Amino acid sequence: MANDDWVIDGHNDLPIAFYELCGYDLDAYDLGGSVPQLNTDLPRLRAGRVGGQFWSLWVPQDEHAVRRTFEQLDFVHRLVERFPDDLRLADTADDVEAAMKAGRVASLMGMEGGHSIGESLGVLRVMRELGVRYMTLTHNHNVSWADSGTDEPVLGGLNEFGEDVVREMNRIGMLVDLSHVSADTMRHALRVTSAPVIFSHSSARAVCDVPRNAPDDVLETLAANDGVCMVTFVPYFVSQAYVDWTNGLHALAKEHGLEGSEHREQVEAMYDVPRPDVTLADVVEHVEHVREVAGVDHIGLGGDYDGCPEFPVELPDVSTYPVLFQALADRGWSDQDLTKLANGNILRVLRAADDVAA
């Protein structure tokens, strides 16, 4: 990792994690110090050389989603106001570069799930005006206009309104995020979009065969689109051994009528297959595969910290990005290539959206 490289990470779920910890009460836990209950606090962001962070605005998919998304947006604003010497709101690529130059963590926002606009292009436009820079078209469940990767397909991609959403996002400079959507929705959106798209937190399906990851044909199309796949660190998305172990655990739980997170420890005690370690090497394999298929100009990082309960053993929190960069340097990545991975590629995509909306 070159000395002047700062990571711009595509996805961090601190807002919902902080809500679940203390209801957005910034007086309850001091993020300017150590908060071991989370994967993220300011000292660890500094240690991880994080210069830009897309804070995820994720809320449950219900009738309160739009209001709750505004509450998360408010939390990010209050967080930045609380720590002006460490954080700075950023809306454009120029803002990000200025914040990093000033020694602040550029704070951007991305909505995680099309349910956050309530089927309204007006709400979409307001969210963009308030600084939201990307939206994943779905989360774990379908919306009426797009199929999710982890729900039963209904549309086979997008419907007419879904195409309108993509075109309006292009027009207003909001990045189309294809994490969470079905492979058919990925392909459909790539046919419709006139601007580069991103995966804010997805890895390679050829390495770990789960619906949340991008197939090789999509990665090839992404390169032609000039977009970026930001590789995530989530164990279930990076380790096939962990996926197979988890699927076996779920089958055992179903067999004994012990489904649900409240029974997890009991089922694990019954399971005679040891839990496989998920490691730095698993993440490296995804990074290198995306580079091989899409090219070094189309890869970034989206750790998904505070979005799941565990991470690879060498990458437990936001302080550990330099560990990954050192591993890649040891495998022959040049400083120029590492800079593209760290921030150059996502800045290019962000600037292309800025130019369209200007």
Side-chain angles (χ1 to χ4, degrees), residues 6-12 45 49-55 88 90 96 99-100 104-108 230 301 321 342-343 346:
W6 292 88
V7 174
I8 299 174
D9 178 86
H11 196 90
N12 184 301
L45 284 171
R49 297 189 60 78
V50 178
Q53 182 64 68
F54 284 89
W55 301 110
R88 180 180 292 181
V96 173
M100 292 193 296
R104 308 295 195 272
V105 179
S107 293
L108 306 107
M230 307 183 83
L301 298 173
Y321 293 96
N343 58 57
I346 186 61

Side-chain angles (χ1 to χ4, degrees), residues 29-353:
Y29 291 87
D30 179 15
L31 288 166
S34 175
V35 185
Q37 298 90 337
L38 301 170
N39 304 130
T40 308
D41 52 43
L42 295 182
R44 284 181 286 175
L45 284 171
R46 294 295 193 186
R49 297 189 60 78
V50 178
Q53 182 64 68
F54 284 89
W55 301 110
S56 172
L57 310 181
W58 177 82
V59 298
Q61 190 166 340
D62 60 24
E63 68 273 19
H64 305 294
V66 174
R67 172 180 60 80
R68 288 174 172 171
T69 303
F70 280 120
E71 290 171 349
Q72 290 217 331
L73 193 153
D74 172 70
F75 167 75
V76 173
H77 279 259
R78 291 190 297 110
L79 175 66
V80 172
E81 290 170 2
R82 176 64 65 97
F83 299 104
D85 294 334
D86 298 284
L87 305 174
R88 180 180 292 181
L89 280 175
D91 188 59
T92 66
D94 286 346
D95 290 345
V96 173
E97 291 184 327
M100 292 193 296
K101 186 175 181 180
R104 308 295 195 272
V105 179
S107 293
L108 306 107
M109 293 176 285
M111 290 185 291
E112 189 172 16
H115 60 280
S116 284
I117 63 169
E119 303 194 6
S120 167
L121 294 180
V123 172
L124 177 72
R125 287 187 285 268
V126 169
M127 293 295 188
R128 177 67 199 92
E129 287 292 326
L130 294 175
V132 177
R133 283 316 312 254
Y134 73 63
M135 180 176 72
T136 66
L137 302 184
T138 73
H139 189 244
N140 287 339
H141 300 290
N142 299 338
V143 291
S144 67
W145 45 271
D147 286 345
S148 168
T150 47
D151 202 348
E152 289 297 318
V154 174
L155 303 171
L158 303 168
N159 65 12
E160 185 175 350
F161 181 73
E163 293 184 349
D164 289 343
V165 171
V166 169
R167 293 188 184 103
E168 187 66 3
M169 292 174 72
N170 291 164
R171 189 187 70 81
I172 64 179
M174 185 182 286
L175 302 180
V176 174
D177 182 0
L178 300 182
S179 287
H180 280 288
V181 306
S182 72
D184 284 336
T185 303
M186 297 174 194
R187 297 176 184 117
H188 196 157
L190 281 161
R191 291 195 302 270
V192 172
T193 186
S194 60
V197 306
I198 67 168
F199 290 83
S200 65
H201 59 308
S202 293
S203 294
R205 194 173 300 191
V207 179
C208 185
D209 188 13
V210 293
R212 276 284 284 102
N213 288 338
D216 280 1
D217 71 287
V218 170
L219 292 174
E220 291 169 358
T221 307
L222 182 73
N225 165 261
D226 205 28
V228 175
C229 179
M230 307 183 83
V231 170
T232 193
F233 304 163
V234 176
Y236 193 79
F237 305 156
V238 299
S239 168
Q240 190 63 52
Y242 185 86
V243 170
D244 295 341
W245 179 85
T246 302
N247 291 344
L249 190 72
H250 289 166
L252 183 65
K254 185 175 182 179
E255 177 185 346
H256 290 273
L258 295 172
E259 297 171 277
S261 58
E262 68 274 17
H263 301 298
R264 175 77 180 232
E265 290 186 8
Q266 180 183 354
V267 176
E268 283 197 37
M270 298 164 55
Y271 198 31
D272 59 2
V273 179
R275 176 199 296 255
D277 284 336
V278 182
T279 68
L280 171 66
D282 293 312
V283 176
V284 167
E285 187 175 2
H286 284 271
V287 172
E288 297 222 298
H289 185 85
V290 174
R291 174 179 177 157
E292 179 182 348
V293 176
V296 73
D297 294 319
H298 306 289
I299 186 167
L301 298 173
D304 203 7
Y305 284 115
D306 283 305
C308 70
E310 55 190 331
F311 287 90
V313 290
E314 302 97 331
L315 301 169
D317 58 47
V318 296
S319 72
T320 54
Y321 293 96
V323 175
L324 172 60
F325 279 81
Q326 186 59 57
L328 294 171
D330 291 344
R331 294 174 69 94
W333 283 53
S334 68
D335 285 350
Q336 181 182 18
D337 289 347
L338 292 174
T339 297
K340 291 179 178 182
L341 174 69
N343 58 57
N345 292 335
I346 186 61
L347 279 173
R348 182 193 72 246
V349 171
L350 193 62
R351 181 162 283 110

